[in-house]
Amino acid sequence: MGGTIDYAVVGRRMQRLRKENGYTQEQIAAALNVTVAFISNIENNRAKMNLRVVTYYARLLNVSIDYLLQSEDDEESSRDTILNQEILRLLQHYTIEEKEKLVKILRLLKES
């Protein structure tokens, strides 16, 4: 993880993950015993988050604190690694002939 934390990036990530998991700001605020405005301010980089908030989001959203605080470049790299691993896992179930076809398809996609 890089040296400085970009709280705007962290807030947007927390908001995106919260929405993807179907939680409202009201639910988060009630669980943390804070105001909805405070949660909104954290997600929009108008207030500094504290360890209690970061820890709660990480547990609720089933991600690590490192993941929440990482830079956008680190997140992109993590996503790339995860996708590569998933592709390799899926490829194990194909025959050699099927893999050759997939390679041809991927080459065509890359050219377009």
Side-chain angles (χ1 to χ4, degrees):
M1 195 163 67
T4 59
I5 296 171
D6 185 336
Y7 289 100
V9 169
V10 175
R12 285 193 305 270
R13 183 174 298 127
M14 291 166 77
Q15 181 181 53
R16 177 180 52 80
L17 289 168
R18 174 183 57 75
K19 289 178 177 180
E20 286 174 0
N21 285 276
Y23 294 105
T24 65
Q25 287 183 338
E26 289 80 6
Q27 290 170 307
I28 304 290
L32 289 169
N33 198 28
V34 297
T35 65
V36 174
F38 178 69
I39 297 302
S40 175
N41 286 340
I42 285 176
E43 290 183 352
N44 292 290
N45 197 29
R46 294 187 302 259
K48 292 295 179 197
M49 60 194 75
N50 57 42
L51 184 58
R52 184 171 75 98
V53 170
V54 173
T55 302
Y56 178 79
Y57 268 82
R59 282 189 190 138
L60 178 71
L61 302 171
N62 200 30
V63 297
S64 69
I65 292 172
D66 282 350
Y67 175 76
L68 284 178
L69 299 180
Q70 71 185 348
S71 71
E72 285 181 317
D73 291 340
D74 289 342
E75 180 181 17
E76 193 68 24
S77 177
S78 294
R79 286 180 49 215
D80 187 52
T81 299
I82 290 167
L83 287 171
N84 285 337
Q85 289 170 346
E86 177 67 7
I87 289 167
L88 289 173
R89 187 186 67 74
L90 291 170
L91 284 174
Q92 292 174 357
H93 303 287
Y94 287 90
T95 66
I96 291 174
E97 292 80 18
E98 290 170 328
K99 289 176 184 176
E100 288 172 344
K101 288 178 186 176
L102 284 169
V103 168
K104 288 178 184 177
I105 291 169
L106 290 171
R107 285 183 180 144
L108 287 172
L109 286 172
K110 185 158 173 70
E111 290 174 10
S112 58

